[in-house]
Amino acid sequence: MKIIKLLTLLACFTLVCLTTFAQKPKWEKENFQVSGNCDMCKTKIEKAATGVEGVKTAKWNVVNGKMKVKFNPAITNTDNIQQAIAIIGYDTEKYKATDEVYNNLHHCCKYERE
């Protein structure tokens, strides 16, 4: 009986130590431009960014087009985030949405393309 209690205590102590000393992710913050027009764009852009594994937060400014993301660099990077945004129809600094996807955006979301 004493051995079971001792083993249980040891297991609990080990678990507490492991969770205490486990490394927390080191979040990185980055900014980049994303083309868009309205609050509907904002919702879709932010949802695409936060849908990327490793992204903690994503905020897109409708007025200046600046995207601010916070992510775990051990899991993802800004290229992956920008690709996810381009896939849904919005051009970013590095990636351009396909014409087909862009043309399927709601009429109010069609921004002026370069």
Side-chain angles (χ1 to χ4, degrees), residues 10-11 14 16 19 29 38 47 55 60 70 72 76 101 111:
L10 184 60
T14 302
V16 169
T19 56
K29 294 179 182 178
C38 62
K47 183 177 179 180
V55 175
W60 182 70
K70 189 175 187 181
N72 182 339
T76 194
V101 178
Y111 49 90

Side-chain angles (χ1 to χ4, degrees), residues 48-49 51-52 79-89 95:
V52 175
D79 281 351
N80 292 340
I81 300 166
Q82 289 188 49
Q83 284 175 344
I85 294 168
I87 286 171
I88 64 162
Y95 298 95

Side-chain angles (χ1 to χ4, degrees), residues 13 27 30 43 61 96 107:
F13 179 73
W27 302 104
E30 292 286 337
T43 301
N61 186 307
K96 186 173 180 176
H107 71 281

Side-chain angles (χ1 to χ4, degrees), residues 35-37 41 89-92 97 102 105 107-114:
S35 298
N37 288 329
C41 297
Y90 298 92
D91 295 345
T92 70
Y102 171 79
L105 291 175
H107 71 281
C108 74
C109 295
K110 291 186 178 173
Y111 49 90
E112 193 171 317
R113 295 182 95 180
E114 293 180 14

